[in-house]
Amino acid sequence: MHKRTLLAGAAALAALTALPLPALAQDKPPLKIVVGFPPGGSADLLARLLAEGLKNDFASVIVENKPGAGGRIALGQVKRAAPDGHTVIVLPSGPMVLFPHVYKKLDYDAVTDFTPISLLAHFQFSVVAGPASGVKSVADMLVKAKAAPGKSTYGTPGSGTLPHFMGVMFGQKAGAELTHVPFQGGGPANTALLGGHIDYKFDVVTETAELHRAGKVRIIGVTGPQRDPQVPEVPTLKEQGVDMVATAWFAMYGPAGLKPEVRDMISSAVAKAVRSPALRNRLIEQGYEPVGSSPAELATAQATDLQRWEGPIKATGVQLD
């Protein structure tokens, strides 16, 4: 009896050691998540929450910040990375659906240079007034802006980013001329806002929710179809008479040429993490609407938004070098 048990155990061990290396638990691949913005911003926060949720599916998960150029530097790094599933990027939708229409020249093709992996979450934006502005509502902001066209300044995480375009759209919808001041990420823009160097800021709600609750800045409006759960007391722009509703998404991409089985393995792990109660609740607390999609669903969302934004961006006349 003991001999048969030992023989069975030896056979099982031999079968296990004969499996391909990736099948062994200790040979899970490492994963590097590149973020095109500085630490502390919304993209960084989402990437780090996701990294925590993925730690059991990979040998290691690290987040690497490569800020600059509205996320284009990070995209260039991922574009050049080996298509082995070890390097991915987490980013807002702007570089993938706005930049192709905004920039005269891009050093990447948003469709052919990357592999869609998963749609992570939907989110909305906020209009934030700094302490030096003395503004308490969108109506106050517009009175001041219209009295001195071009004198009111607003900061964003960078030229050509979603918040930049939100500011352009807001000015057009509200009939006000605002001057854009780009920064390298939401954190530096917050510093300028607190220091009185800019009057307003357009960014995702998460970036300034804590400062708003502490009374250091004031979120005066949100761009979604309904109020944001992080700041439920703040009315939407529609509620305040500005006919504008705008939302966006965060997603994960890999370099082009990622094998379907590798892509699907990462996508499945990401979807499982995003839909887990622990991470889902954390994301909702941060004002995100969790998704966790298939690669095909992300590709469809990207194609839809590329088409959706083309007309409005061309209508604004915004073109960047």
Side-chain angles (χ1 to χ4, degrees):
M1 193 69 176
H2 292 298
K3 186 176 181 181
R4 284 198 300 271
T5 302
L6 287 171
L7 288 172
L13 180 60
L16 179 62
T17 54
L19 287 172
L21 286 178
L24 297 177
Q26 62 266 35
D27 289 308
K28 293 176 182 177
L31 186 69
K32 178 169 68 178
I33 302 175
V34 181
V35 176
F37 301 92
S42 56
D44 178 71
L45 173 64
L46 177 59
R48 293 182 189 279
L49 287 173
L50 183 60
E52 178 67 19
L54 292 172
K55 65 182 181 181
N56 293 328
D57 293 286
F58 296 88
S60 63
V61 185
I62 64 169
V63 175
E64 180 180 292
N65 298 90
K66 278 284 184 181
R72 285 175 289 156
I73 291 175
L75 277 166
Q77 177 180 335
V78 174
K79 172 187 171 181
R80 295 186 296 272
D84 53 13
H86 295 170
T87 304
V88 298
I89 188 168
V90 164
L91 77 170
S93 52
M96 308 308 278
V97 302
L98 293 188
F99 286 12
H101 304 308
V102 171
Y103 285 92
K104 296 175 185 176
K105 292 182 180 179
L106 278 179
D107 57 1
Y108 65 86
D109 186 296
V111 176
T112 62
D113 285 339
F114 302 96
T115 299
I117 293 175
S118 182
L119 190 62
L120 303 175
H122 293 287
F123 63 96
Q124 60 176 307
F125 298 84
S126 61
V127 185
V128 191
S133 70
V135 163
K136 296 183 178 180
S137 68
V138 168
D140 289 348
M141 176 187 183
L142 293 179
V143 167
K144 292 188 71 173
K146 292 178 180 180
K151 297 294 185 181
S152 293
T153 56
Y154 73 95
T156 70
S159 293
T161 59
L162 281 160
H164 175 195
F165 188 67
M166 295 297 161
V168 172
M169 182 185 287
F170 173 84
Q172 290 185 329
K173 295 288 187 180
E177 184 182 341
L178 307 173
T179 297
H180 177 232
V181 182
F183 292 87
Q184 282 201 349
N190 279 344
T191 300
L193 188 68
L194 289 167
H197 304 296
I198 53 176
D199 301 310
Y200 311 102
K201 182 191 175 199
F202 282 78
D203 213 339
V204 296
V205 181
T206 305
E207 289 278 2
T208 45
E210 286 296 331
L211 292 173
H212 169 81
R213 286 191 282 268
K216 295 180 179 180
V217 302
R218 184 186 292 266
I219 296 177
I220 57 175
V222 293
T223 66
Q226 57 269 326
R227 297 189 181 196
D228 191 284
Q230 296 176 96
V231 286
E233 74 282 4
V234 177
T236 66
L237 294 182
K238 289 276 283 189
E239 288 180 82
Q240 299 180 77
V242 179
D243 188 18
M244 173 177 165
V245 174
T247 60
W249 38 263
F250 275 107
M252 178 183 284
Y253 289 81
L258 210 57
K259 291 182 179 179
E261 60 268 26
V262 175
R263 176 202 65 193
D264 292 346
M265 180 274 291
I266 301 173
S267 180
S268 177
V270 168
K272 182 183 71 173
V274 169
R275 294 170 186 171
S276 68
L279 183 52
R280 180 178 176 81
N281 290 339
R282 291 287 301 280
L283 292 174
I284 292 172
E285 286 172 6
Q286 297 298 327
Y288 300 120
E289 180 188 340
V291 182
S293 79
S294 68
E297 288 168 326
L298 172 55
T300 298
Q302 181 182 352
T304 300
D305 278 2
L306 265 169
Q307 183 177 20
R308 176 182 295 153
W309 284 110
E310 183 177 8
I313 291 173
K314 286 183 177 178
T316 67
V318 173
Q319 276 278 283
L320 302 173
D321 292 325

